[in-house]
Amino acid sequence: MATPAAGSLRTPEEAVARIAYLSSDVVISVQPSLSGASAYSSKLTELSSSNIKGTLSHQTPEVQTVRQNADPLLSVYQPARSGKVVSVTTTSSTLISSIPHLYKLINYPVVIHVSMQPAQYPDYSEITSIRQTGLILLQSESTQEAQDMAVAAHALALKSGKAVIHFFAASQQSEVPVEDSTLLERVLDRAAARGFHDSTVDSANLYADDGVRAQTLQVGELTPTAPLSGIATPVAGDVTSNGSSGSSVASTAGDSTQASSATPASSVDLPVTSRDVTSEDIFRHINNIFAVIKQVTGREYNVFEYTGPQYAEHALFVFGSTTHLFRDVLKKAPSGEYDKVGVVSARLYRPWFGTQLPTSIPKSVTKIAVLEQIHRQTTRWGPLFLDLLTCLRTGPSVQGAPSVVAHKLGYINAETASQAFRGVVQNLRSESSVQNLSVGLENGPETTASKPEQPGVETAYMKILDQLFGDRLHVANSLDRPNAGISANIAASPEYGYGSLLARIEKRKALVEKVEKLAKSSDFATPESTELLSKWLLVAEDETKSAEAAEELIQQLEKDGSAVAKGLLEDKSLFRKESPWLIGSDAWAYDLGNSGVHHVVASGKNINMLVIDSTPYSQRAADDASRRKKDIGLYAMNFGNAYVASVAVYSSYTQVLHAMLEADKFDGPSVVLAYLPYNKEDDSALTVMQETKKAVDIGYWPLYRYDPFGEEKGGINFTLESERIKKELKDFLSRENHLTQLVKRNPAFAANLAHSYGKEVRQQQKRNAKDAFAKLLDGLSGPPLTILWASDGGNAENLAKRLGRRGKARGLKTLAMSMEDYPIEDLNNEENIVLITSTAGQGEFPMNGRNFWEAVKGSTDLDLAAVNFSVFGLGDSHYWPRKQDKIYYNKPAKDLDKRMREIGGKPLVDCGLGDDQDPDGFQTGYSEWEPKLWQALGVDNVDGLPDEPPPITNEDIKLASNFLRGTIEEGLADESTGAISASDMQLTKFHGTYMQDDRDLRDERKAQGLEPAYSFMIRCRLPGGVATPKQWIQMDDISDEFGNHTMKLTTRQTFQFHGVVKRDLKNTMRAINKALMTTIAACGDVNRNVMCSSLPQQSAFHDQVQAVAKRISDHLLPSTTAYHEIWLQDENDKKVQVAGDAVVDHEPLYGPTYLPRKFKITIAVPPHNDTDVYAHDIGLIAIKGEDGQLAGFNVLIGGGMGVTHNNKKTYPRTGSAIGFATPDQIHLICEKVMLVQRDHGDRKDRKHARLKYTVDDMGVEVYKGKVEELLGWKLEPSCDFHFDSNIDTFGWQKDENGKNHFTFFIENGRIEDTPEFQMKTGLREIAGVHKGEFRLTGNQHLILSNVNDEDLPQIKDLMAKYKLDNYAFTGLRLSSSACVAFPTCGLAMAESERYLPVLISKVEDVLEEHGLRHDSVVMRMTGCPNGCARPWLAEIAFVGKAFGAYNMYLGGGYHGQRLNKLYRSSIKEDEILAIVRPLFKRYALEREEGERFGDFCIRIGIIKPTTEGKTFHDDVAEEDAEDE
């Protein structure tokens, strides 16, 4: 097909979409699915993304996308009632289900464009089915006609004030130019549109049809003119006008004749009245519109259109998609063949102007063939046949009127049209014409049926149902259930499923009665059959026992072979007590009275319903009362006979399991409301999870379970399992559903409350805070200075607050606050304002400044002529190293300065820019900018300025903490917040816990006026990563009772819990200690968890090394009793001593300020470097003696991973060897190395405080000498060793003692249950029978250790049951690891754990293609440069730079012995894939025998090797591009 010319349109849908967009304020785009575009979508998207303005309002129309199965016409009400001109683009398949809504839309100027389906052979019965709704129906066939009739439809809707359906066949496609703008200008009634814009309708009126009438003005007895403002006044005055009163008459091009003949009411004393628009008005309007179209384009249209001779005797009235084919046949026919035959069609199908038909066709016509394209004709005579019969064969004109012959119009094409035409004409020419003669193929060409499909993301709930109920599960409306003679759409509907379930219940009841009789008969071949039937009857209603009995019974009946046995086997599936389910969507929530919900609940039958709600919280339709869903849960609970649960699989998997099991056991109707929000059906699990968390946290989707008979069973009726609205919902229940009654009386209440409350509170908070502070400043003299900040990491905030303090000292009335807290309407009234902003992401404002920037950028009301301002920005000129990205450097500050000048602001001083690359960082630029500011304000020469107190550092906090006590106890007791103080945040790290907040929820909670969703991460101290099965179960319990139902196996070989709220902190700590573990010193400036190789092949040797790790850990444990006092006191406030020996309040090793920074020790056992021994402050390499026993350790010092992006003073470092020591000496050597760091480490600059910098500053030999000086003896020379890997070995292995070990693949260390993989449940079951131990690995995996041969079958069965025996993944995936990053890590700049699996999946096809599936390539990802997953040692690494952007590093050593180097900076996924895919291909083709990927990258020159930490930033592949 030829490429269309510029500005041309190829399909009718494109032409229609363009007209709809230009002629509307709102376009409702109906799509088969949110991820599947319709034929209109591409054009609508193109127009919308280009910000093309509409013709009527000269504003950019809004395009709303709605799923076809989500009752799309509901979306029309709200904008139409708000005075918006609305159009809909859809297909004919939506019409029948929308009939209940159409009557409400009749008197609104709404245009519904309908593409007839199936495209090749449309079924026009869907049009005839709505012919009596009162809507205007216009039809077209070709692309050109569709364009013109779309224009006519919009013009007619505006003129008449009534809804128009424009239906068209898409089969005749031809390229046409875009519409003539002159046509739109002339034909669209702007006056009527303005009147409609000024009108709003109260949806809460008493009238089912909104009380709206399409009316027109009439002056005296004159001919009526245009409609009243485009919309009529409702019966009870429900229209409120903001503009014209509607008393004026709208004059338009099409009505020029009538308008000119009317005398204005102002000059003649004639009464002006309004009346309803009649069909005569519509007839006049459409003819005037057709006249304008002809004047502008030359194309002629009429209500009835006739083609043929004026003396014709026969005519074909065609109602279908092939009128143009018959007209072509007629035109091309040889002279004499069809000289007396014509073709007629109706351009305007409704209103039906039958009286005009005789004047549209020759009077000589004696017979008319009616051809109706209706696939399934349910009556003998078609609708159009009856229309013609009524207008031609009744009344005074019946004498001499033509006779009407009905025909069924099947599928015809260009090749068969002539034959079909001939057949119809022959039938007409026959003396006795055959009625209902079929023409063309009855079924038409085969098309791919649009079978309904369950969105991929929704399969999560189906998988859970399958897992829970297995063969017992019966989904009545399942998509794959055979239903003879029933369409897939009907069979999948819940209403159909409900009916089939009722039938199935009756069928099973009949089976039981039949079995009761047969159990007493002798009709079976063997007596065993009657015995088993009797046994089955005893357990027929028991889910478990009936299933067991059914298996045995079915086998017996198959053996029996008698006639009665065969009869029973026909219903063998009914022998099991099934779990009957209906699956529905949130569409049920719009009209509960007519939906399956009402029928199921009201019936009282034992039927379970799963209703999946997919509306994302962030796109909830709270403003749209028509689209507002009823609360199905409250509706069902009010019946008092139904089990109801509200669940969300991406919030609490366990709760979903409980709810479904309880629903199954409940004897009566059950409704499980399941939340699964998505914008598109192919949304990632991450997107769905983030939306779910927002909805549950904010209270939009509460999690609860309700059993109306719970108390009778000894429990409770209502269990609420989400925190956010616990009190509110309990109050609601205790008030006997008072709120429900209120909502029923005023449906706008609930949505308005949810939608506006948070926003209004937030605005009021801003106002109150600023006003209160202003009062405090009133007593001060001196000019005012407002300082606003937008801060990402805290630097801009601290700078702003410091500037405020300095301003006060100079006599200024200063107010410092974040931009998000500032009422933007006060900006015009400021005298002096300073704006300080850092740079986030890709040159973006920080989150707490974005709303302020958007308001300033987009406002037309701001006039800063009287405002003095200055801007200071914080950025990093090397953060985006590529030359084309230099624009992002300090972009927020530059943009803000420019905009402030544009709106009249007077700069106090030029915009200041702080650069992290300057010698003193941003302070270099700031120190130049601040004095200029004081000078401009006239306060630069002020005497007696007080000295500023130095900033509080971590060293100050530690020193003042009284050995790590601080005010932690008081902070835990404060119930007013979920947080603790900033200083206590630093101290709790020493106790093993970090305060975090859920960053997925941060913005939403801020918008609601709530504090962040604070919670705590708790990390255990577990030397060597060894735990007993009992401890595993205890950790599992803790994660469920106090955490977020998951456990994290960390890269430090220990357990980590997330989501622990403050009130549960003590109980969690106690539970961990009861498990004989501890959390003290798992974090903080102390020696942290001591790691040790997992070593499954050498258990005896592992025991020796593990013992050393435990000894080192215990030896370096802090001695403070604060841990026990805060966390482990009993009810009588007496100290209890668990998992530690702390007895005194001093620190003999650490002192009151502990270490300068964190300190990490690990042990590796060659040849496996699975703990990354080079990456730690102390690395110990175990050396095996000639006797096979542990001889001692090589000692490495100075390893470390933490880096700051673009700060070349920071770098990762691999450890340096200083000698060898025996096992009995090693804990003392670790102590002395730590003490030298304690005394010589940098305590002024935490970025320079790690041991690696101390070693480089002092030199390895000097540092070693100080260690030996403290020891009193010298270290021996290092021993030889060899590493060949730093990854884990998966699968089963047997050690030297005959014990078995299995290494599980735990992707990124996350232990959780999902619908696809019940890992957590499976590992718990294994722990329940396991007699050995669990070993956590440094690569975030898990080893099931010391399994006896006799226990293997049971263990293997459980592993197979839960798919835990699967490690058949690519070598790349098996060798990957990632840190937690979003949503809990406060330092994360980008995703890591949640994204790395997705990225790997996108490159695995290349690995497969080039034979690299089983090749191990070490890939690691972190969300920031702090290096928790040790990315700097990986062969390929991605380190988060900004959201969605990563630095890429190549060339790390496969054994963990060599650092990698920067290859590309700040690249996103498309760039990553463009680099990685060809690189892997090249590796497959060019590598040498045994060559590892990192070595390969260096050999071929892609990257240069990093020889030591200090050269990490040298010779990078992508040098920072300086401006020329």
Side-chain angles (χ1 to χ4, degrees), residues 448-638:
T448 304
S450 57
K451 184 179 178 181
E453 295 182 5
Q454 185 178 37
V457 292
E458 293 187 9
T459 60
Y461 289 106
M462 297 305 301
K463 288 178 180 177
I464 295 175
L465 287 175
D466 284 334
Q467 290 166 3
L468 290 177
F469 306 119
D471 293 339
R472 289 183 50 232
L473 178 65
H474 177 81
V475 179
N477 59 331
S478 173
L479 295 175
D480 55 4
R481 187 169 299 283
N483 294 284
I486 304 296
S487 74
N489 282 290
I490 294 175
S493 69
E495 292 77 10
Y496 175 86
Y498 171 63
S500 71
L501 273 185
L502 291 180
R504 195 166 183 84
I505 290 171
E506 292 300 318
K507 195 171 183 180
R508 190 171 195 270
K509 184 179 177 182
L511 175 67
V512 173
E513 293 174 353
K514 184 177 181 180
V515 170
E516 287 175 346
K517 294 178 182 178
L518 291 176
K520 303 173 185 177
S521 72
S522 57
D523 296 338
F524 293 96
T526 59
E528 287 84 356
S529 297
T530 53
E531 277 182 37
L532 291 179
L533 284 173
S534 300
K535 288 181 181 179
W536 177 80
L537 284 170
L538 296 175
V539 297
E541 300 306 315
D542 185 288
E543 295 88 352
T544 305
K545 293 180 181 178
S546 67
E548 295 171 354
E551 293 296 326
E552 188 178 2
L553 176 58
I554 291 170
Q555 291 178 8
Q556 176 57 39
L557 292 176
E558 288 172 345
K559 291 179 184 176
D560 188 279
S562 61
V564 287
K566 291 178 180 177
L568 288 174
L569 285 172
E570 291 178 1
D571 295 320
K572 62 181 180 181
S573 62
L574 296 176
F575 281 118
R576 296 182 183 86
K577 180 69 165 65
E578 293 177 331
S579 182
W581 288 82
L582 288 175
I583 313 298
S585 72
D586 51 358
W588 275 1
Y590 296 114
D591 188 5
L592 293 171
N594 292 325
S595 71
V597 177
H598 172 80
H599 297 307
V600 170
V601 176
S603 74
K605 299 290 185 182
N606 190 10
I607 294 174
N608 307 310
M609 300 181 64
L610 177 67
V611 181
I612 300 176
D613 191 313
S614 59
T615 304
Y617 168 71
S618 59
Q619 294 186 7
R620 60 201 184 284
D623 285 335
D624 188 346
S626 300
R627 187 156 278 289
R628 193 171 305 137
K629 294 178 286 190
K630 286 86 171 177
D631 190 323
I632 294 179
L634 292 177
Y635 181 85
M637 282 192 282
N638 280 328

Side-chain angles (χ1 to χ4, degrees), residues 129-195:
S129 297
I130 63 169
R131 68 189 187 280
Q132 306 297 357
T133 58
L135 275 77
I136 300 171
L137 303 179
L138 270 175
Q139 76 163 320
S140 58
E141 279 190 49
S142 66
T143 304
Q144 185 63 72
E145 285 184 8
Q147 183 184 62
D148 292 342
M149 287 308 102
V151 172
H154 284 277
L156 183 56
L158 288 172
K159 284 181 177 296
S160 65
K162 298 182 77 69
V164 178
I165 289 183
H166 165 222
F167 61 99
F168 59 93
S171 55
Q172 189 187 358
Q173 299 185 2
S174 58
E175 194 175 311
V176 299
V178 296
E179 73 292 333
D180 190 325
S181 59
T182 305
L183 177 61
L184 287 178
E185 291 291 336
R186 288 190 58 186
V187 82
L188 294 181
D189 193 333
R190 291 179 180 276
R194 283 194 298 271

Side-chain angles (χ1 to χ4, degrees), residues 1469-1501:
E1469 184 181 275
D1470 55 346
E1471 296 171 280
I1472 291 172
L1473 296 176
I1475 294 169
V1476 168
R1477 285 172 170 163
L1479 189 55
F1480 278 137
K1481 178 180 179 180
R1482 189 174 176 188
Y1483 174 55
L1485 298 174
E1486 300 178 22
R1487 61 178 170 170
E1488 296 177 351
E1489 184 67 29
E1491 187 175 30
R1492 294 295 179 181
F1493 181 75
D1495 300 330
F1496 170 78
C1497 290
I1498 292 172
R1499 180 178 63 81
I1500 65 173

Side-chain angles (χ1 to χ4, degrees), residues 1275-1288:
L1275 294 167
E1276 298 177 25
S1278 299
C1279 299
D1280 292 337
F1281 65 92
H1282 171 70
F1283 286 131
D1284 59 21
S1285 169
N1286 73 342
I1287 65 169
D1288 295 330

Side-chain angles (χ1 to χ4, degrees), residues 221-474:
E221 300 300 323
L222 298 178
T223 304
T225 58
L228 175 63
S229 301
I231 186 169
T233 306
V235 174
D238 289 322
V239 175
T240 58
S241 178
N242 302 319
S244 60
S245 64
S247 60
S248 61
V249 177
S251 176
T252 59
D255 280 332
S256 56
T257 304
Q258 285 79 6
S260 62
S261 65
T263 306
S266 58
S267 60
V268 179
D269 188 15
L270 292 174
V272 179
T273 59
S274 63
R275 60 170 178 78
D276 288 352
V277 172
T278 65
S279 58
E280 286 76 13
D281 298 323
I282 295 170
F283 184 75
R284 185 180 66 258
H285 291 324
I286 193 64
N287 281 323
N288 289 334
I289 292 167
F290 288 160
V292 174
I293 293 175
K294 183 177 181 181
Q295 290 171 14
V296 175
T297 69
R299 294 185 288 273
E300 183 174 354
Y301 299 101
N302 294 287
V303 172
F304 292 106
E305 296 179 355
Y306 171 78
T307 300
Q310 292 305 312
Y311 48 85
E313 297 178 359
H314 302 117
L316 282 68
F317 200 124
V318 185
F319 185 62
S321 60
T322 53
T323 311
H324 65 286
L325 294 178
F326 288 131
R327 287 195 167 112
D328 287 345
V329 169
L330 189 62
K331 292 175 182 176
K332 296 175 182 178
S335 177
E337 186 173 4
Y338 301 128
D339 288 349
K340 296 184 178 182
V341 179
V343 176
V344 190
S345 64
R347 180 69 60 191
L348 182 69
Y349 178 50
R350 282 297 185 272
W352 177 252
F353 293 106
T355 56
Q356 301 295 324
L357 180 60
T359 63
S360 302
I361 60 176
K363 294 181 180 179
S364 55
V365 172
T366 58
K367 279 187 182 181
I368 299 178
V370 179
L371 285 78
E372 299 181 72
Q373 192 168 307
I374 296 173
H375 288 189
R376 286 189 178 183
Q377 192 165 308
T378 55
T379 59
R380 183 178 180 186
W381 307 111
L384 185 66
F385 174 84
L386 296 176
D387 286 339
L388 262 69
L389 204 62
T390 301
C391 67
L392 295 177
R393 307 298 295 175
T394 59
S397 61
V398 67
Q399 189 71 28
S403 58
V404 185
V405 182
H407 290 73
K408 297 177 183 178
L409 180 57
Y411 171 74
I412 64 172
N413 55 30
E415 288 74 29
T416 60
S418 178
Q419 180 181 351
F421 192 92
R422 184 180 301 109
V424 174
V425 172
Q426 287 176 352
N427 190 39
L428 289 178
R429 288 172 175 170
S430 171
E431 291 186 9
S432 55
S433 301
V434 178
Q435 292 285 359
N436 286 318
L437 180 69
S438 293
V439 179
L441 297 176
E442 183 177 353
N443 297 319
E446 288 191 16
T447 58
T448 304
S450 57
K451 184 179 178 181
E453 295 182 5
Q454 185 178 37
V457 292
E458 293 187 9
T459 60
Y461 289 106
M462 297 305 301
K463 288 178 180 177
I464 295 175
L465 287 175
D466 284 334
Q467 290 166 3
L468 290 177
F469 306 119
D471 293 339
R472 289 183 50 232
L473 178 65
H474 177 81

Side-chain angles (χ1 to χ4, degrees), residues 749-792:
F749 172 76
N752 289 341
L753 180 68
H755 177 67
S756 62
Y757 177 73
K759 184 177 179 181
E760 290 174 2
V761 167
R762 187 72 179 145
Q763 293 296 331
Q764 193 59 41
Q765 285 174 336
K766 291 182 182 181
R767 168 60 52 213
N768 291 346
K770 187 169 185 293
D771 290 350
F773 202 87
K775 289 180 181 179
L776 293 176
L777 297 177
D778 282 345
L780 299 178
S781 59
L785 175 63
T786 299
I787 305 164
L788 304 183
W789 77 76
S791 184
D792 209 13

